[in-house]
Amino acid sequence: METQTEEQIEERQVRSTGELMAMVEALVFVADEPITVRTLAEILEEDREAVQAAVEALRSEYDDRESGLQLREIAGGWQLATRTELHETVRKFLRTKPSAKLSLAALETLAVIAYKQPVTIPEILDIRGVQSASAIKTLLEKRLIVTKGHKETVGRPMQYGTSKEFLVHFGLKDLSELPSIEDFEDLVQ
Amino acid sequence: METQTEEQIEERQVRSTGELMAMVEALVFVADEPITVRTLAEILEEDREAVQAAVEALRSEYDDRESGLQLREIAGGWQLATRTELHETVRKFLRTKPSAKLSLAALETLAVIAYKQPVTIPEILDIRGVQSASAIKTLLEKRLIVTKGHKETVGRPMQYGTSKEFLVHFGLKDLSELPSIEDFEDLVQ
Amino acid sequence: MHSSMTQQEPEQYSFDFFGETAEIVAESRDELKLKIGQFAGPLDLLLYLIRQEQANIFDIPIARITDEYLIYIRLMKNMDIVVAADFLVMAAQLIEIKTKMLLPREPLTPGEDEVEDPRQELVDRLLEYERYKSAAEMLYERSTVEQAVFTRGPIESDDNNAEVSATVFDLITVFQKILSRQKEEIAMEIEREEISLADMIKTLRKRLLEQTELKLLEFFEEMHSHRELVTAFIAVLEIVRTEGVNVIQKNTFGDIILRKTSA
């Protein structure tokens, strides 16, 4: 603490893991969407490795003390959220019902987009065998998908892909967390 | 109280202080304003004394582990907030947080500029039917639009177009990736 | 297995599905409607029919499945369910496959690859579709789990204003709304009587009497169209030229103000 009057670099070195954890905790709490280790490192002017270690330590701390909250990795960032097991209590307080579910058509369309992105409407039609226009509209409105530019082919059709919202909505760290489409083969007869 | 069935009492007694603390923590976290012990007791169907004890224990826990957050009593209720000492770090984050948000007027103006560029203020007025001066100022400040020289017409009005930041913000490689009205013809009525 | 239908003529590709009576029995019309409405598309319906028949997907009894498929479509029409064109396209494909199956196969010459089964393409599509259907189920389950997790309530530092965080889709929808609004206004414009220069001068004169100082920009902002704006502009020039009105600008980028001279 005596060195604090010196340069910033020295001030940084003074931070213990505990202090870093506290700062990470405050920032993750304040952020209104998942916050990346990169952003945390920039704000705190620390190495990403140090921040990553603090995040991991903080996650363990939440787990170990059986907190009502969990620090979880989602959509490439970190977020504080309530623990799954407490959903009944939380829902009772918030008086919420599980939110409106996506239609079967929308879910199918979303599945095709998630696995085939970037993908055009005609390509989705090929796989689903049915027009998906209204499903696409719903998914765009719910921000689960985004446009991904035109495909350089006849008619330059628009391409679609999944959004960050998609990852958040389905609780995914990133797209690689999706099971491979071939894994669904076993389910077919 | 004597009228309660045995099962109800037993069910309640099963909860440990730790479990109660976790529930309190989750509820305080999701609440949009300070939550009273009374409300907590009602939701959890517990005695106020037990809830009060859990709240106090939770507060000590946050303090003891020198968390970045604090459980504090405010306006007769309990709230989770960042620790006062960390306000500089938190403020720094809030300042640097990119503000991706636009008012409807700004969004409308941006849409007209994106699709009609280069475009002058009188032309935008013609299309939107309302003045866009303050929206233009906002968009220039957010660097989503740039000036594109004067139009060689009466009064030589300034022309506006979208910027590089616009492309980054909307995740576009170049302007040709901007969807055309035809692209969404089937989706948007 | 095709012996029972060797006598048939190849089917015409017409969609006269109304001729026969429905064979599928349901408790009530509503229940049936529900049952039919739940298919996400023709492939979904086909998979259902194949499962109902407990048939092997690699050896689809195409004649029977086609018949049932057509019955379903006819039912949908009878129930006033809008039958998507895609269901009819599939019907045509099924009939085509059924027809091809009826044609005698050319005997294989040794060494020649086996002639492709007319059903092969359909089987491939069904298998691929079924994978995505399973993926959709996986997504459904994930979202159900995710609904048990809650993030924090709003805190002071959140922007609690009505602003939106925009995507490209917002841009295009907003732009489209503006265009249709513009169309409506043009239609109204035609009905509305055009304000003459004389009326505009009269309005401006009245305003100057009321306010003594009039911000030019504010006056222009009241105009509803480009044309009105031009008329207003000429009116200002006219009133400055002919009457005791000064144009004042207090600083370089300040408001331009019209003020009646006290003389």
Side-chain angles (χ1 to χ4, degrees):
Chain A
M1 286 295 171
E2 314 88 80
T3 48
Q4 272 199 330
T5 47
E6 304 294 320
E7 284 170 82
Q8 272 202 322
I9 294 170
E10 278 175 71
E11 194 190 329
R12 251 197 272 159
Q13 286 171 337
V14 164
R15 281 184 195 157
S16 66
T17 311
E19 284 173 311
L20 209 51
M21 279 163 69
M23 286 173 168
V24 166
E25 194 177 9
L27 290 177
V28 169
F29 175 76
V30 169
D32 53 6
E33 49 183 37
I35 186 168
T36 60
V37 167
R38 189 182 151 166
T39 306
L40 287 168
E42 275 168 22
I43 301 289
L44 299 174
E45 295 174 44
E46 294 276 355
D47 297 340
R48 286 198 207 169
E49 292 72 28
V51 172
Q52 182 72 41
V55 170
E56 300 283 0
L58 194 62
R59 177 179 36 195
S60 306
E61 197 184 73
Y62 269 92
D63 289 349
D64 293 347
R65 70 183 170 93
E66 292 181 353
S67 157
L69 308 178
Q70 54 175 326
L71 186 65
R72 59 179 203 154
E73 196 173 6
I74 197 162
W78 291 84
Q79 182 190 60
L80 269 177
T82 58
R83 209 165 280 280
T84 324
E85 307 89 84
L86 299 176
H87 72 101
E88 269 177 47
T89 306
V90 174
R91 202 162 276 151
K92 186 175 169 194
F93 169 64
L94 294 176
R95 290 202 200 96
T96 57
K97 295 199 182 86
S99 64
K101 305 229 161 87
L102 290 168
S103 71
L104 191 57
L107 272 172
E108 276 189 21
T109 306
L110 190 56
V112 176
I113 292 174
Y115 280 100
K116 287 273 188 181
Q117 59 186 306
V119 65
T120 66
I121 291 184
E123 287 161 357
I124 300 169
L125 170 66
D126 264 4
I127 292 175
R128 289 195 60 224
V130 64
Q131 295 292 335
S132 308
S134 73
I136 298 253
K137 194 185 172 214
T138 306
L139 295 172
L140 281 168
E141 280 168 357
K142 290 191 184 283
R143 292 159 192 268
L144 293 170
I145 60 167
V146 287
T147 59
K148 293 273 183 189
H150 295 98
K151 184 165 182 169
E152 292 310 327
T153 176
V154 188
R156 302 186 73 245
M158 182 54 71
Q159 301 179 113
Y160 297 89
T162 52
S163 65
K164 206 167 160 183
E165 278 298 308
F166 168 81
L167 296 175
V168 173
H169 189 97
F170 294 99
L172 296 161
K173 263 184 241 177
D174 51 51
L175 283 175
S176 71
E177 235 200 311
L178 282 177
S180 136
I181 191 71
E182 281 75 33
D183 290 345
F184 292 112
E185 200 114 32
D186 304 343
L187 302 172
V188 183
Q189 299 229 338
Chain B
M1 285 292 173
E2 313 88 84
T3 52
Q4 281 180 328
T5 62
E6 257 177 67
E7 298 96 85
Q8 275 181 313
I9 293 164
E10 268 177 69
E11 199 187 323
R12 258 205 263 161
Q13 285 172 338
V14 163
R15 277 184 198 158
S16 67
T17 313
E19 282 173 313
L20 210 49
M21 280 164 69
M23 286 174 168
V24 167
E25 194 176 11
L27 292 177
V28 170
F29 177 75
V30 296
D32 55 4
E33 48 187 34
I35 185 169
T36 60
V37 167
R38 192 183 151 162
T39 306
L40 287 168
E42 274 168 24
I43 298 292
L44 300 173
E45 294 174 42
E46 294 278 353
D47 297 338
R48 284 197 210 169
E49 293 70 32
V51 172
Q52 182 71 41
V55 170
E56 299 286 355
L58 194 62
R59 176 179 37 196
S60 306
E61 196 184 73
Y62 269 93
D63 289 347
D64 293 347
R65 69 183 172 94
E66 292 182 353
S67 156
L69 307 178
Q70 55 176 324
L71 188 65
R72 60 173 186 175
E73 197 171 5
I74 197 164
W78 291 87
Q79 181 188 59
L80 264 182
T82 56
R83 203 166 284 278
T84 327
E85 306 90 86
L86 299 174
H87 76 274
E88 256 178 62
T89 307
V90 169
R91 201 166 294 156
K92 186 175 172 194
F93 167 68
L94 293 175
R95 256 202 322 272
T96 54
K97 200 171 70 161
S99 170
K101 302 197 167 174
L102 294 171
S103 69
L104 185 61
L107 184 61
E108 278 196 14
T109 308
L110 185 58
V112 173
I113 293 174
Y115 282 99
K116 293 278 184 181
Q117 59 186 303
V119 64
T120 66
I121 291 185
E123 287 162 355
I124 300 170
L125 169 67
D126 251 13
I127 296 172
R128 283 192 64 215
V130 278
Q131 289 293 334
S132 309
S134 71
I136 298 247
K137 196 169 156 246
T138 308
L139 295 172
L140 282 169
E141 278 166 5
K142 286 188 188 268
R143 297 202 283 170
L144 291 169
I145 60 167
V146 287
T147 56
K148 294 270 184 188
H150 294 278
K151 183 164 182 172
E152 291 312 325
T153 175
V154 187
R156 301 186 70 248
M158 184 55 77
Q159 299 180 115
Y160 296 89
T162 52
S163 65
K164 218 173 182 171
E165 277 82 357
F166 169 83
L167 296 177
V168 174
H169 182 108
F170 287 96
L172 301 164
K173 256 183 248 144
D174 51 55
L175 280 177
S176 76
E177 277 202 358
L178 203 62
S180 69
I181 289 186
E182 291 73 40
D183 287 325
F184 289 120
E185 224 155 30
D186 300 334
L187 307 184
V188 188
Q189 297 87 346
Chain C
M1 70 180 202
H2 305 304
S3 57
S4 63
M5 46 190 213
T6 41
Q7 79 291 352
Q8 283 180 5
E9 295 270 322
E11 294 254 10
Q12 300 284 304
Y13 294 159
S14 65
F15 297 107
D16 179 19
F17 304 128
F18 300 96
E20 295 168 45
T21 45
E23 281 171 34
I24 294 170
V25 187
E27 291 293 308
S28 69
R29 256 176 108 84
D30 283 343
E31 189 195 326
L32 187 61
K33 209 162 183 170
L34 205 73
K35 273 187 179 168
I36 294 172
Q38 72 191 2
F39 294 108
L43 292 169
D44 199 18
L45 173 55
L46 266 182
L47 279 177
Y48 169 79
L49 294 174
I50 291 166
R51 253 187 236 117
Q52 284 285 96
E53 285 289 314
Q54 296 185 314
N56 179 354
I57 197 163
F58 295 100
D59 187 18
I60 302 169
I62 205 78
R64 207 159 68 229
I65 294 293
T66 302
D67 289 348
E68 282 182 14
Y69 184 91
L70 296 183
I71 288 168
Y72 247 95
I73 289 201
R74 194 165 47 243
L75 267 172
M76 285 164 86
K77 290 204 164 183
N78 290 346
M79 311 291 312
D80 294 328
I81 293 171
V82 180
V83 179
D86 307 293
F87 280 91
L88 303 182
V89 171
M90 178 56 72
Q93 282 166 357
L94 286 174
I95 294 163
E96 187 183 351
I97 295 167
K98 184 175 155 186
T99 310
K100 278 190 186 157
M101 299 286 288
L102 294 175
L103 296 176
R105 297 206 186 179
E106 305 217 350
L108 285 181
T109 50
E112 193 186 20
D113 284 340
E114 201 182 334
V115 180
E116 205 191 321
D117 189 323
R119 299 171 296 183
Q120 193 54 49
E121 199 194 323
L122 181 65
V123 172
D124 290 344
R125 281 191 75 188
L126 283 170
L127 290 176
E128 186 178 31
Y129 170 71
E130 180 137 58
R131 277 200 289 276
Y132 286 99
K133 205 170 144 60
S134 306
E137 272 162 34
M138 176 273 298
L139 287 179
Y140 175 79
E141 277 156 26
R142 284 204 83 108
S143 74
T144 309
V145 171
E146 202 51 28
Q147 288 203 345
V149 173
F150 297 83
T151 53
R152 70 158 164 77
I155 55 174
E156 281 167 51
S157 64
D158 294 342
D159 303 328
N160 280 331
N161 52 26
E163 295 191 331
V164 289
S165 120
T167 67
V168 170
F169 184 62
D170 296 317
L171 274 186
I172 188 87
T173 20
V174 156
F175 186 58
Q176 200 139 29
K177 274 188 200 137
I178 298 170
L179 289 186
S180 52
R181 194 172 70 202
Q182 195 190 8
K183 257 184 223 157
E184 278 170 31
E185 272 169 19
I186 287 170
M188 279 165 58
E189 193 84 4
I190 293 164
E191 286 171 25
R192 191 161 56 207
E193 276 201 44
E194 206 57 62
I195 295 182
S196 70
L197 181 60
D199 285 342
M200 190 64 87
I201 291 173
K202 233 183 263 173
T203 310
L204 186 56
R205 199 180 284 143
K206 191 161 160 270
R207 290 289 292 277
L208 281 166
L209 274 175
E210 285 164 7
Q211 292 174 250
T212 64
E213 262 194 19
L214 177 64
K215 282 185 185 168
L216 207 52
L217 194 64
E218 279 180 9
F219 182 62
F220 286 157
E221 280 184 3
E222 291 165 18
M223 300 305 134
H224 300 289
S225 68
H226 196 85
R227 207 185 198 129
E228 267 186 31
L229 193 64
V230 172
T231 313
F233 187 68
I234 298 170
V236 170
L237 293 180
E238 200 56 27
I239 217 161
V240 169
R241 193 173 62 84
T242 59
E243 302 184 19
V245 172
N246 286 338
V247 182
I248 303 157
Q249 190 175 27
K250 285 174 181 159
N251 48 50
T252 321
F253 296 106
D255 287 328
I256 297 171
I257 291 161
L258 286 187
R259 184 192 287 162
K260 218 168 159 51
T261 47
S262 40

PDB file of all heavy atoms in Angstrom, chain B residues 104-117:
ATOM      1  N   LEU B 104     -36.189   6.373 -31.349  1.00  0.00           N
ATOM      2  CA  LEU B 104     -36.908   6.006 -32.565  1.00  0.00           C
ATOM      3  C   LEU B 104     -36.663   7.040 -33.664  1.00  0.00           C
ATOM      4  O   LEU B 104     -36.466   6.694 -34.832  1.00  0.00           O
ATOM      5  CB  LEU B 104     -38.405   5.873 -32.288  1.00  0.00           C
ATOM      6  CG  LEU B 104     -39.232   5.379 -33.475  1.00  0.00           C
ATOM      7  CD1 LEU B 104     -38.783   4.000 -33.924  1.00  0.00           C
ATOM      8  CD2 LEU B 104     -40.712   5.374 -33.157  1.00  0.00           C
ATOM      9  N   ALA B 105     -36.639   8.337 -33.285  1.00  0.00           N
ATOM     10  CA  ALA B 105     -36.388   9.393 -34.268  1.00  0.00           C
ATOM     11  C   ALA B 105     -35.017   9.213 -34.911  1.00  0.00           C
ATOM     12  O   ALA B 105     -34.871   9.313 -36.134  1.00  0.00           O
ATOM     13  CB  ALA B 105     -36.478  10.763 -33.603  1.00  0.00           C
ATOM     14  N   ALA B 106     -34.017   8.894 -34.078  1.00  0.00           N
ATOM     15  CA  ALA B 106     -32.672   8.703 -34.609  1.00  0.00           C
ATOM     16  C   ALA B 106     -32.618   7.463 -35.496  1.00  0.00           C
ATOM     17  O   ALA B 106     -31.988   7.470 -36.558  1.00  0.00           O
ATOM     18  CB  ALA B 106     -31.678   8.585 -33.459  1.00  0.00           C
ATOM     19  N   LEU B 107     -33.307   6.420 -35.068  1.00  0.00           N
ATOM     20  CA  LEU B 107     -33.326   5.182 -35.852  1.00  0.00           C
ATOM     21  C   LEU B 107     -33.974   5.413 -37.216  1.00  0.00           C
ATOM     22  O   LEU B 107     -33.474   4.960 -38.248  1.00  0.00           O
ATOM     23  CB  LEU B 107     -34.073   4.092 -35.080  1.00  0.00           C
ATOM     24  CG  LEU B 107     -34.092   2.705 -35.719  1.00  0.00           C
ATOM     25  CD1 LEU B 107     -32.687   2.150 -35.865  1.00  0.00           C
ATOM     26  CD2 LEU B 107     -34.942   1.741 -34.905  1.00  0.00           C
ATOM     27  N   GLU B 108     -35.087   6.145 -37.210  1.00  0.00           N
ATOM     28  CA  GLU B 108     -35.773   6.453 -38.475  1.00  0.00           C
ATOM     29  C   GLU B 108     -34.860   7.242 -39.401  1.00  0.00           C
ATOM     30  O   GLU B 108     -34.730   6.933 -40.587  1.00  0.00           O
ATOM     31  CB  GLU B 108     -37.036   7.282 -38.206  1.00  0.00           C
ATOM     32  CG  GLU B 108     -38.235   6.452 -37.795  1.00  0.00           C
ATOM     33  CD  GLU B 108     -39.540   7.237 -37.913  1.00  0.00           C
ATOM     34  OE1 GLU B 108     -39.553   8.310 -38.545  1.00  0.00           O
ATOM     35  OE2 GLU B 108     -40.532   6.755 -37.372  1.00  0.00           O
ATOM     36  N   THR B 109     -34.230   8.263 -38.835  1.00  0.00           N
ATOM     37  CA  THR B 109     -33.343   9.114 -39.632  1.00  0.00           C
ATOM     38  C   THR B 109     -32.178   8.291 -40.183  1.00  0.00           C
ATOM     39  O   THR B 109     -31.816   8.407 -41.356  1.00  0.00           O
ATOM     40  CB  THR B 109     -32.818  10.280 -38.776  1.00  0.00           C
ATOM     41  OG1 THR B 109     -33.941  10.937 -38.178  1.00  0.00           O
ATOM     42  CG2 THR B 109     -32.030  11.271 -39.604  1.00  0.00           C
ATOM     43  N   LEU B 110     -31.640   7.421 -39.320  1.00  0.00           N
ATOM     44  CA  LEU B 110     -30.534   6.576 -39.744  1.00  0.00           C
ATOM     45  C   LEU B 110     -30.968   5.644 -40.881  1.00  0.00           C
ATOM     46  O   LEU B 110     -30.219   5.423 -41.843  1.00  0.00           O
ATOM     47  CB  LEU B 110     -30.016   5.760 -38.552  1.00  0.00           C
ATOM     48  CG  LEU B 110     -28.773   4.906 -38.803  1.00  0.00           C
ATOM     49  CD1 LEU B 110     -27.611   5.753 -39.280  1.00  0.00           C
ATOM     50  CD2 LEU B 110     -28.378   4.126 -37.557  1.00  0.00           C
ATOM     51  N   ALA B 111     -32.187   5.118 -40.767  1.00  0.00           N
ATOM     52  CA  ALA B 111     -32.692   4.221 -41.809  1.00  0.00           C
ATOM     53  C   ALA B 111     -32.780   4.958 -43.144  1.00  0.00           C
ATOM     54  O   ALA B 111     -32.362   4.437 -44.183  1.00  0.00           O
ATOM     55  CB  ALA B 111     -34.062   3.669 -41.403  1.00  0.00           C
ATOM     56  N   VAL B 112     -33.306   6.179 -43.112  1.00  0.00           N
ATOM     57  CA  VAL B 112     -33.435   6.959 -44.345  1.00  0.00           C
ATOM     58  C   VAL B 112     -32.054   7.235 -44.934  1.00  0.00           C
ATOM     59  O   VAL B 112     -31.816   7.057 -46.130  1.00  0.00           O
ATOM     60  CB  VAL B 112     -34.201   8.278 -44.091  1.00  0.00           C
ATOM     61  CG1 VAL B 112     -34.187   9.152 -45.344  1.00  0.00           C
ATOM     62  CG2 VAL B 112     -35.633   7.991 -43.667  1.00  0.00           C
ATOM     63  N   ILE B 113     -31.116   7.635 -44.072  1.00  0.00           N
ATOM     64  CA  ILE B 113     -29.761   7.940 -44.554  1.00  0.00           C
ATOM     65  C   ILE B 113     -29.105   6.677 -45.121  1.00  0.00           C
ATOM     66  O   ILE B 113     -28.495   6.699 -46.188  1.00  0.00           O
ATOM     67  CB  ILE B 113     -28.904   8.556 -43.423  1.00  0.00           C
ATOM     68  CG1 ILE B 113     -29.461   9.934 -43.049  1.00  0.00           C
ATOM     69  CG2 ILE B 113     -27.439   8.674 -43.845  1.00  0.00           C
ATOM     70  CD1 ILE B 113     -28.798  10.585 -41.850  1.00  0.00           C
ATOM     71  N   ALA B 114     -29.280   5.559 -44.422  1.00  0.00           N
ATOM     72  CA  ALA B 114     -28.652   4.316 -44.870  1.00  0.00           C
ATOM     73  C   ALA B 114     -29.154   3.912 -46.255  1.00  0.00           C
ATOM     74  O   ALA B 114     -28.377   3.492 -47.109  1.00  0.00           O
ATOM     75  CB  ALA B 114     -28.922   3.204 -43.860  1.00  0.00           C
ATOM     76  N   TYR B 115     -30.457   4.052 -46.463  1.00  0.00           N
ATOM     77  CA  TYR B 115     -31.038   3.561 -47.713  1.00  0.00           C
ATOM     78  C   TYR B 115     -31.055   4.583 -48.837  1.00  0.00           C
ATOM     79  O   TYR B 115     -31.211   4.214 -49.993  1.00  0.00           O
ATOM     80  CB  TYR B 115     -32.448   3.007 -47.459  1.00  0.00           C
ATOM     81  CG  TYR B 115     -32.377   1.642 -46.839  1.00  0.00           C
ATOM     82  CD1 TYR B 115     -32.532   1.466 -45.471  1.00  0.00           C
ATOM     83  CD2 TYR B 115     -32.084   0.523 -47.608  1.00  0.00           C
ATOM     84  CE1 TYR B 115     -32.421   0.223 -44.886  1.00  0.00           C
ATOM     85  CE2 TYR B 115     -31.972  -0.728 -47.047  1.00  0.00           C
ATOM     86  CZ  TYR B 115     -32.141  -0.879 -45.690  1.00  0.00           C
ATOM     87  OH  TYR B 115     -32.018  -2.117 -45.119  1.00  0.00           O
ATOM     88  N   LYS B 116     -30.921   5.863 -48.511  1.00  0.00           N
ATOM     89  CA  LYS B 116     -31.031   6.887 -49.549  1.00  0.00           C
ATOM     90  C   LYS B 116     -29.731   7.647 -49.771  1.00  0.00           C
ATOM     91  O   LYS B 116     -29.719   8.650 -50.472  1.00  0.00           O
ATOM     92  CB  LYS B 116     -32.142   7.883 -49.178  1.00  0.00           C
ATOM     93  CG  LYS B 116     -33.538   7.281 -49.207  1.00  0.00           C
ATOM     94  CD  LYS B 116     -34.082   7.269 -50.626  1.00  0.00           C
ATOM     95  CE  LYS B 116     -35.517   6.765 -50.640  1.00  0.00           C
ATOM     96  NZ  LYS B 116     -36.068   6.710 -51.989  1.00  0.00           N
ATOM     97  N   GLN B 117     -28.649   7.227 -49.121  1.00  0.00           N
ATOM     98  CA  GLN B 117     -27.436   8.030 -49.163  1.00  0.00           C
ATOM     99  C   GLN B 117     -26.827   8.153 -50.565  1.00  0.00           C
ATOM    100  O   GLN B 117     -26.955   7.216 -51.342  1.00  0.00           O
ATOM    101  CB  GLN B 117     -26.406   7.473 -48.182  1.00  0.00           C
ATOM    102  CG  GLN B 117     -25.989   6.019 -48.446  1.00  0.00           C
ATOM    103  CD  GLN B 117     -25.097   5.526 -47.347  1.00  0.00           C
ATOM    104  OE1 GLN B 117     -24.071   6.114 -47.076  1.00  0.00           O
ATOM    105  NE2 GLN B 117     -25.495   4.450 -46.682  1.00  0.00           N
TER     106      GLN B 117
END
